[in-house]
Amino acid sequence: MIVHAMGGTAIVAAAVAAARDFPRLRVLALTVVTSMTDADLADLADIGVIGSASASVSASNSTEEQVLRLARLAEGVGCHGVIASPQEAGPLRGVLGSSALIVTPGVALPGGSAGEHARSGTPGAAVAAGASHVVVGRSVPRAADPVAAFRLVRADLEL
């Protein structure tokens, strides 16, 4: 089950509580979508995402820091893991420990285009950084040769 972490503690906790009757169901908190950048978050300052609209983006209110804040929120209410870009997999693994699920959409083929993802990475880089799962998405089925694209993903994952 996926829940939007930006919904806040009550919404994430409600999802975790609803899942308790289903022991095999895992609750993942979506942190910040992979198409968003620091500048995009700064544009959301008017709703309190990272401070005042006049503030510049700094390390304490960057996309990565927002992802880590939301991951801590999710962990605090019992989520099994998070969804975040490959670029945050390493910092998340450091914060969440070895048992948390870290699912990374925004994965691009080695040497390929990141598409609409502002914060992407290759499958191998995501796993090496700490991702437990990678979501390859459109890059394989939309490739001119999907079988070759899948082989490229597989080869990249052979660490």
Side-chain angles (χ1 to χ4, degrees):
M1 169 190 306
I2 298 170
V3 61
H4 285 271
M6 282 195 192
T9 303
I11 289 173
V12 178
V16 170
R20 283 198 182 102
D21 291 337
F22 305 92
R24 293 180 51 186
L25 181 62
R26 298 294 173 249
V27 180
L28 301 174
L30 174 61
T31 59
V32 177
V33 295
T34 60
S35 61
M36 293 191 83
T37 64
D38 291 344
D40 295 325
L41 281 182
D43 288 343
L44 297 177
D46 59 333
I47 60 169
V49 173
I50 62 166
S52 72
S54 62
S56 62
V57 175
S58 68
S60 65
N61 58 14
S62 66
T63 305
E64 181 179 312
E65 188 53 39
Q66 180 71 1
V67 167
L68 296 176
R69 257 193 303 277
L70 293 170
R72 288 182 193 102
L73 175 152
E75 180 184 44
V77 298
C79 279
H80 299 97
V82 297
I83 300 170
S85 87
Q87 293 181 12
E88 289 96 32
L92 282 166
R93 185 57 66 205
V95 167
L96 300 175
S98 62
S99 64
L101 298 174
I102 299 174
V103 178
T104 57
V107 171
L109 296 177
S113 166
E116 73 277 5
H117 304 288
R119 300 176 349 271
S120 67
T122 65
V127 170
S132 57
H133 297 77
V134 296
V135 179
V136 177
R138 299 176 193 101
S139 54
V140 169
R142 290 188 179 170
D145 183 349
V147 173
F150 180 74
R151 286 186 180 132
L152 188 58
V153 169
R154 236 182 113 184
D156 192 54
L157 287 170
E158 293 177 1
L159 304 171

